[in-house]
Amino acid sequence: MIGPHVSKSGVAYPDDLVLLKRIYDQVCEERGIARGSSEASDLAIEAMKLFSAGIFDEGTIGRRLRGG
């Protein structure tokens, strides 16, 4: 069986968006960021920038969004 496709090209496939949303939700919860706020929007933009720059690892994206 073929597993879900995860991009290595910077193109976000559905599974990639699920991954990014999971990280986004975790960071919002940890930092008390309200969904729909300007801070949440900035976080989502940063997540997409990291992904577009070729960072596809969940742990790395999470650490970067947390400021680590």
Side-chain angles (χ1 to χ4, degrees), residues 9-66:
S9 67
V11 173
Y13 291 93
D15 290 335
D16 301 319
L17 296 175
V18 168
L19 171 97
L20 291 169
K21 174 87 166 67
R22 180 172 56 243
I23 298 166
Y24 165 86
D25 287 343
Q26 289 171 352
V27 175
C28 282
E29 184 175 328
E30 290 167 8
R31 293 174 53 191
I33 298 171
R35 308 301 192 284
S37 68
S38 63
E39 191 175 1
S41 179
D42 291 343
L43 185 68
I45 290 168
E46 185 61 26
M48 288 304 298
K49 284 182 181 178
L50 291 169
F51 185 84
S52 295
I55 300 171
F56 306 115
D57 177 70
E58 181 172 358
T60 301
I61 293 171
R63 279 191 300 279
R64 299 279 294 270
L65 291 179
R66 290 175 181 94

